[in-house]
Amino acid sequence: MADRVLVAPDKFKGSLAATEVTARVAAGLARAGFRGEVVQLPVADGGDGTVDAAVSAGYRRVELEVRGPTGRPVTAAFALLDETAVIEAAQASGLSLLAPGQLAPLRASTWGVGELILAAIRMGAKRIVLAVGGVATTDGGAGLLEALGARLADASGNPLPPGGAALARLATLDLSGLRDLSGVEFQLASDVNNPLLGPAGAAAVYGPQKGAAPGDVKLLEAGLTTWADVAEAACGAAARD
């Protein structure tokens, strides 16, 4: 009979976080009479619970107040170990932060994720693992970039309001004020492989999960298309696919 059991679940979405599943399985084993070693190691897929998984693996939790998906302050956390930070976008811009009747698919922003990145860099992070799942936003990371110092403007030079729908009016992307990130390595943590645009893209596939009606999906697709055009021109590199 085994004398060592590894309990390593992801979250049970909509019911229990990975850390809670882990604890309950361990408790069930003990209640059933298992007397061996139980190793508890919750895991994550790049969505909700990624920070908790990192903390369970020995990282330190850092909490701060940031701008939530609809602009209201929220308390968010990231995980830090030496010079590596694990940042969970859902902590600042997550779908779970909004009640079902408060979803804002057209105007939800990733600004708070940028604030988490800035805080991690201030604390010495040189490597950032950015977990991108579970968000309420379809702004292509535009809000994140604005928090890092970029400026998005329409044809009249006016700053754009937050959210993916407003990106259809984007005319210029000014990166001159962007924080210098040359010494920071970024890695993305995700369990999907979608392009930005098209029938398998962000708006079409994930917009409805965030409250977008069919007409909203078209607006978000138009915004992301313009975002890709302007961002690729500003950066001199193609990234939409």
Side-chain angles (χ1 to χ4, degrees):
M1 183 177 178
D3 58 4
R4 187 167 188 258
V5 173
L6 171 65
V7 183
D10 193 1
K11 60 185 173 295
F12 286 10
K13 194 164 187 176
S15 57
L16 293 173
T19 51
E20 295 171 319
V21 177
T22 305
R24 280 156 176 75
V25 171
L29 287 167
R31 185 174 181 180
F34 179 70
R35 295 294 177 260
E37 180 186 5
V38 178
V39 180
Q40 301 185 42
L41 188 66
V43 298
D45 61 0
D48 302 86
T50 301
V51 165
D52 288 340
V55 170
S56 295
Y59 281 66
R60 173 166 64 98
R61 178 185 297 273
V62 179
E63 292 189 349
L64 66 153
E65 186 177 275
V66 299
R67 191 181 300 186
T70 57
R72 294 180 179 178
V74 299
T75 299
F78 64 91
L80 186 67
L81 179 64
D82 300 327
E83 294 185 342
T84 297
V86 175
I87 293 179
E88 177 186 321
Q91 285 277 332
S93 301
L95 199 57
S96 63
L97 298 174
L98 301 176
Q102 298 177 335
L103 303 183
L106 300 181
R107 60 184 179 86
S109 168
T110 52
W111 182 289
V113 185
E115 292 181 287
L116 290 177
I117 291 172
L118 288 175
I121 293 173
R122 284 196 295 268
M123 295 185 68
K126 296 292 191 296
R127 175 174 176 260
I128 291 177
V129 179
L130 180 58
V132 296
V135 294
T137 58
T138 313
D139 72 347
L144 181 161
L145 269 184
E146 287 184 289
L148 295 178
R151 185 176 185 275
L152 283 65
D154 62 19
S156 300
N158 299 313
L160 289 186
L167 291 172
R169 305 199 306 273
L170 178 65
T172 59
L173 172 61
D174 181 3
L175 300 175
S176 62
L178 191 67
R179 183 187 176 102
D180 181 12
L181 302 172
S182 57
V184 183
E185 174 192 2
F186 284 86
Q187 294 183 342
L188 297 186
S190 173
D191 67 340
V192 298
N193 186 20
N194 296 78
L196 181 68
L197 305 173
V205 176
Y206 302 107
Q209 299 176 11
K210 303 168 187 182
D216 297 334
V217 170
K218 292 180 180 179
L219 290 174
L220 292 169
E221 180 76 7
L224 291 175
T225 300
T226 302
W227 174 234
D229 292 339
V230 175
E232 288 178 349
C235 298
R240 71 186 69 198
D241 297 322

